[in-house]
Amino acid sequence: MKSNIIYIILLLCPIIIFGQEQSVYQTYMPIPEIHNPAYNGALPCTKISLADKHQWIGIKGAPSQQIFSANLKFEPERLKRHGIGIVLLNDLNGATKASGARLAYAYHIMVKKSKARWLSFAISTSVLNKRIDASNFEANNLNDPLIRTANRSGFNFDVAFGILYYTRTLNVGLATFQLLPQKSFYDKTQRIPPLSIF
């Protein structure tokens, strides 16, 4: 009897469903070198990752991301190691498309040998090609100058820096991206570099 009452209540209650795009960072959480270049070479092995994410299956122009990541560890001495990483990515979201590559170098120093604690410093450089194709875009106001000239393409170059303190059970890092000025397709204004902490 109780289960019938629960079913009736569920049928009478309105259900709200939100179909928003997931954050791009949720795609890349298993690949931490996306967030902080200091993760390159932090593992005791070489790591190669491939991620493919599709949302809203069956809808034309639905968001999708593909990313390939590889990072190599070199350990010339017991208390020091170097890491080199490369990231290739492709991002499609409706009329906007982006593809790019990032190359990173990380230097790791063992802080405390008995506890296997490491401190890592890294720098990376990247190039990103952003494209907007609004040839199939239907608008109510065709006098908007942004809509009339919406087919654009451009390259953004970037430099990033990261610091990482890690042990076998703990990772604490700080990374900053977009150290080079970035410009928009339309307003040509410079953007403030974001800071990410992981």
Side-chain angles (χ1 to χ4, degrees):
M1 182 67 181
K2 288 183 181 180
S3 62
N4 290 337
I5 294 173
I6 293 173
Y7 291 136
I8 292 171
I9 292 172
L10 289 175
L11 288 174
L12 296 177
C13 293
I15 298 173
I16 300 172
I17 298 174
F18 296 98
Q20 298 299 320
E21 178 185 0
Q22 292 180 353
S23 169
V24 70
Y25 293 109
Q26 291 180 347
T27 303
Y28 304 141
M29 287 307 284
I31 309 173
E33 53 269 18
I34 293 293
H35 305 294
N36 191 338
Y39 275 100
N40 289 292
L43 293 176
C45 61
T46 296
K47 177 185 171 189
I48 298 175
S49 303
L50 181 63
D52 182 30
K53 174 182 167 184
H54 295 272
Q55 298 183 62
W56 311 338
I57 302 297
I59 297 176
K60 186 178 179 181
S64 69
Q65 296 92 23
Q66 296 79 37
I67 182 164
F68 171 80
S69 170
N71 72 71
L72 310 170
K73 175 197 70 127
F74 303 98
E75 199 162 4
E77 299 177 28
R78 186 170 169 80
L79 303 179
K80 296 179 184 177
R81 69 169 66 149
H82 306 274
I84 296 175
I86 185 168
V87 175
L88 306 174
L89 65 94
N90 184 43
D91 188 5
L92 170 65
N93 192 346
T96 62
K97 300 174 183 176
S99 56
R102 179 189 298 168
L103 183 63
Y105 169 76
Y107 181 68
H108 305 261
I109 305 168
M110 184 174 278
V111 178
K112 193 167 185 181
K113 187 177 179 182
S114 62
K115 302 283 186 178
R117 295 180 180 175
W118 292 83
L119 184 63
S120 171
F121 301 93
I123 188 165
S124 73
T125 181
S126 63
V127 60
L128 184 68
N129 177 241
K130 296 181 180 179
R131 301 173 301 282
I132 298 175
D133 180 11
S135 55
N136 296 326
F137 184 69
E138 296 178 14
N140 295 330
N141 183 5
L142 295 177
N143 294 323
D144 189 337
L146 296 181
I147 294 173
R148 286 196 312 245
T149 60
N151 293 336
R152 299 282 180 102
S153 178
F155 286 92
N156 282 343
F157 299 93
D158 187 21
V159 173
F161 178 75
I163 300 173
L164 178 68
Y165 174 79
Y166 62 98
T167 66
R168 292 182 183 125
T169 58
L170 173 71
N171 295 337
V172 178
L174 175 70
T176 182
F177 295 87
Q178 293 184 355
L179 295 176
L180 298 179
Q182 305 290 312
K183 292 189 178 181
S184 169
F185 283 140
Y186 299 113
D187 59 11
K188 305 297 182 189
T189 58
Q190 295 183 356
R191 299 178 184 172
I192 299 172
L195 185 69
S196 60
I197 301 175
F198 291 96

